[in-house]
Amino acid sequence: MKKGILNYSLSEIESLMLELGCPKFRAKQIFLWLYRFGKNSFFEMTNIGKDLQIKLDEIFYIHRPKVANIAKSKDGTIKFLLELNDKNTIETVFIPESKRNTICVSSQVGCAVGCKFCNTGYNGFIRNLSTEEIVSQFLVVKDYLNLWDQKAERLSNIVFMGMGEPLFNHKNVLKAINNLMLDEKEGLSRRKITLSTSGISPIIEKIAKDLPCRLAISLHAPNDQIRSQIMPINGVYNISSIMNACRKYSEYHCYLKITFEYLLLKGINDSKECALELIDLLKNLNAKVNILQFNSWDGCSFEPSSNAKDFSAILQKSGLEAPIRTRRGEDVMAACGQLSAKNKISSI
């Protein structure tokens, strides 16, 4: 039975090359064909020899999930509904900007964290994505936008802010990140990839040294009382444990700021007192706060706050970088907290 080659790391393919009596460098050539040039046939990999092409085709397949639906926002954001082999669906979002193009990647089908402001968690958890299913989101977007030409625009940034909690699937997520970083010419580096987590503190500490990218924490409250109301997982991994884990990450990546995502909810966490408490919480960390505005979805009773500018100003006066993130793709349910993969499937 054939195996999906996109599930394998470079070192794993290097070992296979040696088993097949081929030089180890063939593995890097194969990876470049997959990730730089987007080939989905081994017979198009012209510098690896016919015999190896045949052998690889006997062992592996190269797979892309089906693009089941595409929704285009008036602001240029594109949301992809992808159908997996088992008929489950996930969503991936392409966000074009003047100086960069970002892809927002999912790591699970659904999410078990259950944040009360998030549509993904509202719909429950089904399963983790494989490494292949994670990296293929990147490849599908490049296919659709025809970005394989080396003179074309690039997907310059990746954010693991789509469906799911990445650290509940950290082995596959880290392998996917490392695979995508192998092509130096693509320009993807630890500064261009961000993993966003609700704060699974034991796993952050476990992988802190080897985490090959930026870390973002979905914090959304300055204290446990408020956070537990909107994020039930805080009852397991509270703010104190998250801050300790962030300090561990900073020991190994002191030059990288940790981003703390803060979704303003009217009457919940948007007061001046909350801002001052947040400043005190982050005072000893190399931190940045991304202020998010609530994006509505059916079944959620929260309301957006009108205090974003004042909240940001208080943080910035203290010396914290605190931009208000621009809403993107809200009209096609592609904005933060809106992903659900419940869109109508249609032919493309």
Side-chain angles (χ1 to χ4, degrees), residues 1-9 12-13 34-35 42 56 59-63 85 130-133 135 175 179:
M1 186 175 179
K2 288 187 178 184
K3 304 173 182 178
I5 194 170
L6 297 177
N7 279 315
Y8 287 77
S9 67
E12 289 169 334
I13 299 299
L34 293 170
Y35 293 104
F42 296 108
L56 288 171
I59 300 172
F60 296 114
Y61 61 83
I62 306 170
H63 177 69
N85 282 341
S130 66
T131 300
E132 174 184 80
E133 291 167 333
V135 298
K175 184 185 281 190
N179 283 359

Side-chain angles (χ1 to χ4, degrees), residues 40-321:
N40 54 21
S41 169
F42 296 108
F43 298 105
E44 296 179 5
M45 300 180 182
T46 54
N47 63 347
I48 65 172
K50 189 70 173 179
D51 290 344
L52 183 54
Q53 290 174 349
I54 293 171
K55 193 64 179 176
L56 288 171
D57 191 60
E58 291 173 351
I59 300 172
F60 296 114
Y61 61 83
I62 306 170
H63 177 69
R64 304 277 205 277
K66 176 185 176 183
V67 180
N69 193 51
I70 291 176
K72 298 181 179 180
S73 168
K74 60 187 178 183
D75 65 21
T77 299
I78 305 174
K79 183 173 71 171
F80 297 80
L81 179 69
L82 304 182
E83 183 179 321
L84 309 175
N85 282 341
D86 62 0
K87 304 302 180 182
N88 280 308
T89 54
I90 57 172
E91 290 182 330
T92 304
V93 181
F94 170 70
I95 308 165
E97 298 177 81
S98 60
K99 294 183 179 180
R100 63 184 180 184
N101 293 311
T102 300
I103 176 172
C104 180
V105 174
S106 294
S107 57
Q108 297 180 313
V109 182
C111 184
V113 174
C115 299
K116 294 183 179 180
F117 48 78
C118 180
N119 199 11
T120 306
Y122 179 79
N123 287 300
F125 170 75
I126 298 176
R127 67 171 176 84
N128 286 331
L129 297 183
S130 66
T131 300
E132 174 184 80
E133 291 167 333
I134 295 169
V135 298
S136 62
Q137 295 172 66
F138 180 84
L139 305 180
V140 162
V141 173
K142 290 195 72 171
D143 286 345
Y144 178 79
L145 297 172
N146 193 25
L147 298 182
W148 295 113
D149 185 334
Q150 292 300 291
K151 295 181 181 179
E153 288 185 276
R154 294 177 178 171
L155 290 179
S156 57
N157 293 69
I158 301 175
V159 293
F160 282 80
M161 298 180 181
M163 298 172 63
E165 167 51 65
L167 292 188
F168 282 154
N169 188 21
H170 67 278
K171 292 182 180 178
N172 289 335
V173 167
L174 295 187
K175 184 185 281 190
I177 291 172
N178 283 313
N179 283 359
L180 291 169
M181 288 174 60
L182 281 170
D183 181 9
E184 299 87 354
K185 287 192 176 181
E186 186 64 38
L188 292 171
S189 68
R190 65 181 60 225
R191 293 180 180 274
K192 300 292 185 180
I193 301 176
T194 302
L195 184 152
S196 176
T197 173
S198 57
I200 315 304
S201 48
I203 300 179
I204 295 173
E205 292 190 26
K206 179 180 178 181
I207 66 173
K209 182 178 180 180
D210 298 319
L211 189 61
C213 61
R214 291 183 179 273
L215 179 66
I217 303 293
S218 292
L219 188 64
H220 309 309
N223 60 58
D224 287 326
Q225 182 180 1
I226 295 175
R227 195 168 193 263
S228 294
Q229 291 175 21
I230 59 177
M231 299 179 70
I233 200 167
N234 194 70
V236 182
Y237 308 113
N238 63 19
I239 290 178
S240 177
S241 73
I242 294 170
M243 294 300 110
N244 288 336
C246 286
R247 282 187 278 272
K248 177 67 70 173
Y249 172 85
S250 290
E251 286 179 16
Y252 300 109
H253 310 283
C254 58
Y255 52 92
L256 292 178
K257 283 189 176 183
I258 299 174
T259 298
F260 289 86
E261 295 158 337
Y262 198 99
L263 176 68
L264 287 178
L265 300 170
K266 182 179 180 181
I268 305 292
N269 63 354
D270 61 342
S271 67
K272 177 181 178 181
E273 291 73 22
C274 284
L276 295 174
E277 199 171 349
L278 183 61
I279 291 168
D280 188 60
L281 180 68
L282 303 181
K283 63 184 177 183
N284 294 320
L285 280 171
N286 184 16
K288 167 188 175 181
V289 178
N290 265 351
I291 296 175
L292 313 179
Q293 300 178 77
F294 176 67
N295 302 297
S296 62
W297 47 273
D298 290 342
C300 189
S301 60
F302 290 117
E303 297 180 37
S305 171
S306 60
N307 293 344
K309 289 184 179 179
D310 291 341
F311 199 93
S312 173
I314 294 170
L315 299 185
Q316 293 193 69
K317 188 176 180 180
S318 76
L320 273 172
E321 186 180 353

